[in-house]
Amino acid sequence: MKKIEHIGIAVKDLKVSNTCFSSLFGKPPYKTETVESEGVRTSFFEVGPHKVELLEGLSAESPITKFIASKGEGIHHIAFAVDDLAAEVQRLKEEGFVVLNEQPRKGADNKWVVFLHPKSTNGVLVELCQDAE
Ligand code: ZN
């Protein structure tokens, strides 16, 4: 793994939280994006070499809405950049990690993403991401 790519934060109201985090960082998000396939609306802030992603669920069935219902707003996942997603998934499977989607999905911010189940990573939802061409 190369670096922490971003930290994902689950929020109830993206508009309200965009205002809050714009004040916190002293600048607005560099993009907002709806990812229908993941059931989320997102915004991204640049913070030095890293990013912060805010995620709002699009419906009651969204994983983000369910997360907030059970745990409240807060840190949802940590994303790590990798060069070769397929090789990294293979390596982590051999190490015993539980991969949630072996077939990479198109995530926000032009990335291919794979998630690891929090039960194999001390309760932390881990996202692996590789830049899409
Ligand atoms: Zn993410």
Side-chain angles (χ1 to χ4, degrees):
M1 291 188 202
K2 292 197 295 187
K3 64 165 187 175
I4 291 177
E5 215 282 332
H6 64 267
I7 294 172
I9 299 175
V11 304
K12 283 183 188 161
D13 185 325
L14 193 63
K15 222 175 150 196
V16 169
S17 296
N18 275 341
T19 302
C20 171
F21 280 82
S22 293
S23 299
L24 180 67
F25 299 137
K27 58 184 169 184
Y30 69 88
K31 73 149 70 172
T32 58
E33 183 181 355
T34 297
V35 187
E36 297 282 354
S37 58
E38 300 287 316
V40 294
R41 188 176 294 119
T42 66
S43 63
F44 283 87
F45 294 83
E46 239 162 8
V47 188
H50 305 291
K51 299 169 190 167
V52 169
E53 173 186 30
L54 304 183
L55 305 106
E56 174 195 58
L58 291 173
S59 70
E61 289 73 47
S62 164
I64 294 298
T65 309
K66 289 178 181 167
F67 176 88
I68 290 174
S70 72
K71 295 186 171 157
E73 292 180 297
I75 293 178
H76 176 258
H77 64 271
I78 301 180
F80 297 92
V82 302
D83 282 325
D84 185 339
L85 201 45
E88 199 65 359
V89 164
Q90 191 54 42
R91 183 183 74 81
L92 293 170
K93 273 175 62 185
E94 284 164 14
E95 295 283 354
F97 292 96
V98 178
V99 178
L100 282 171
N101 60 300
E102 278 195 45
Q103 206 53 41
R105 296 199 299 252
K106 197 68 184 291
D109 209 23
N110 202 32
K111 309 271 191 226
W112 289 107
V113 300
V114 168
F115 288 93
L116 303 183
H117 197 289
K119 76 182 177 191
S120 61
T121 48
N122 290 93
V124 178
L125 178 60
V126 170
E127 174 185 334
L128 307 172
C129 57
Q130 179 183 345
D131 286 328
E133 295 306 314

